[in-house]
Amino acid sequence: MADDKDVLRDVWFGRIPACFTLSPEETTEREAEPYYLLLPRVSYLTLVTDKVKKHFLRVMKAEDVEEMWLEYEGTPLKWHYPIGVLFDLHASNTALPWNVTVHFKNFPEDDLLHCASNSVIEAHFMSCIKEADALKHKGQVINDMQKKDHKQLWMGLQNDKFDQFWAMNRKLMEYPTEEGGFRYIPFRIYQTMSDRPFIQKLFRPVSPEGHTLTLGDLLKELFPAAICAEGGWHQR
């Protein structure tokens, strides 16, 4: 992974310009100006929108404020999906900035999970990390880490600190060639045109014949609709 550090850094610092506007359904004491923000693709909306919330609370009465939630063109945005995933799912073909609507009432109970605090996001994030490590290393790497290492991993993400995060995450990404590599590749294929929000199955990185498998092999087996007849890629 050390050879990929420049690529990892570029991915980490990928940003999406966004324009947040208050829903016209909200009651305000004066006009609410839009708020512009560069969103990190690898973070979560509820981690990076405190400034958005404070901006709009200035024009609202306290009794009109409930839990903040966000939507794009009528679709509530799931806070437990990474920001980059949300953008690619719902808005990748639109002009920038990404126009996100802010709500403080009528929380869509059937579509979104409540997020009372950052500890909820942390619990979700660490659960995903543990699930991935169970597939790759039988959970040995994450279990060998101390509690302070888990906290450093989380704080690196929360505070957008690349070096702090990767000092710990590097251990989870090490490929033990002497043990035959990862047991399985943790992945999710997110979908917008299906009743299933995502596809997630066991997939080994090496074929029974000993050949190294690629992303293309994974898609051919589990999501062939993503591949054009000419060998290109469909966007879903």
Side-chain angles (χ1 to χ4, degrees):
M1 296 299 296
D3 296 337
D4 298 329
K5 189 167 184 178
D6 288 342
V7 175
L8 296 173
R9 187 179 293 275
D10 287 344
V11 171
W12 178 274
F13 288 106
R15 297 292 188 265
I16 301 167
C19 174
F20 293 86
T21 56
L22 191 63
S23 168
E25 299 175 358
E26 302 294 336
T27 303
T28 62
E29 295 183 313
R30 60 183 185 275
E31 184 179 358
E33 296 291 334
Y35 191 87
Y36 293 86
L37 195 64
L38 285 174
L39 300 174
R41 290 183 59 93
V42 298
S43 190
Y44 297 96
L45 282 171
T46 39
L47 274 186
V48 298
T49 52
D50 279 349
K51 291 181 179 179
V52 175
K53 184 176 182 179
K54 291 176 182 176
H55 171 76
F56 289 115
L57 287 181
R58 295 192 185 105
V59 302
M60 300 186 67
K61 295 180 179 178
E63 60 266 26
D64 294 325
V65 175
E66 299 173 10
E67 183 173 351
M68 187 178 82
W69 59 280
L70 308 170
E71 57 104 341
Y72 171 70
E73 293 190 345
T75 300
L77 297 175
K78 301 180 186 297
W79 65 260
H80 59 289
Y81 283 15
I83 292 171
V85 171
L86 287 171
F87 177 77
D88 293 343
L89 278 175
H90 303 299
S92 60
N93 294 323
T94 64
L96 294 173
W98 185 19
N99 292 304
V100 178
T101 303
V102 179
H103 296 264
F104 286 98
K105 61 184 179 184
N106 300 323
F107 189 90
E109 302 280 351
D110 294 337
D111 298 307
L112 297 182
L113 300 172
H114 287 282
C115 184
S117 67
N118 283 0
S119 62
V120 177
I121 316 171
E122 181 180 3
H124 166 72
F125 172 73
M126 291 307 303
S127 176
C128 291
I129 292 291
K130 291 175 182 178
E131 180 182 0
D133 193 53
L135 291 170
K136 291 188 293 186
H137 307 110
K138 298 183 180 179
Q140 293 175 350
V141 177
I142 196 74
N143 289 335
D144 286 344
M145 287 182 176
Q146 299 180 30
K147 188 174 181 178
K148 65 180 180 64
D149 297 330
H150 293 182
K151 183 58 68 173
Q152 177 175 334
L153 192 68
W154 164 247
M155 295 302 293
L157 179 72
Q158 178 177 264
N159 298 327
D160 195 25
K161 301 294 185 182
F162 174 83
D163 292 327
Q164 182 181 14
F165 178 85
W166 271 99
M168 291 297 110
N169 196 54
R170 183 175 292 105
K171 300 176 182 179
L172 295 162
M173 297 301 294
E174 290 175 349
Y175 194 83
T177 53
E178 68 279 1
E179 300 174 13
F182 298 151
R183 295 170 62 243
Y184 299 101
I185 299 297
F187 74 93
R188 283 178 182 162
I189 301 174
Y190 290 87
Q191 306 180 100
T192 56
M193 303 173 65
S194 172
D195 292 335
R196 298 175 61 188
F198 55 80
I199 297 172
Q200 182 173 327
K201 296 181 179 179
L202 294 178
F203 185 82
R204 293 188 180 277
V206 179
S207 72
E209 296 76 26
H211 303 302
T212 301
L213 300 177
T214 66
L215 174 61
D217 295 316
L218 185 154
L219 292 173
K220 286 176 185 176
E221 178 179 336
L222 301 171
F223 194 52
I227 302 176
C228 301
E230 297 79 12
W233 305 95
H234 285 300
Q235 291 189 346
R236 293 284 295 239

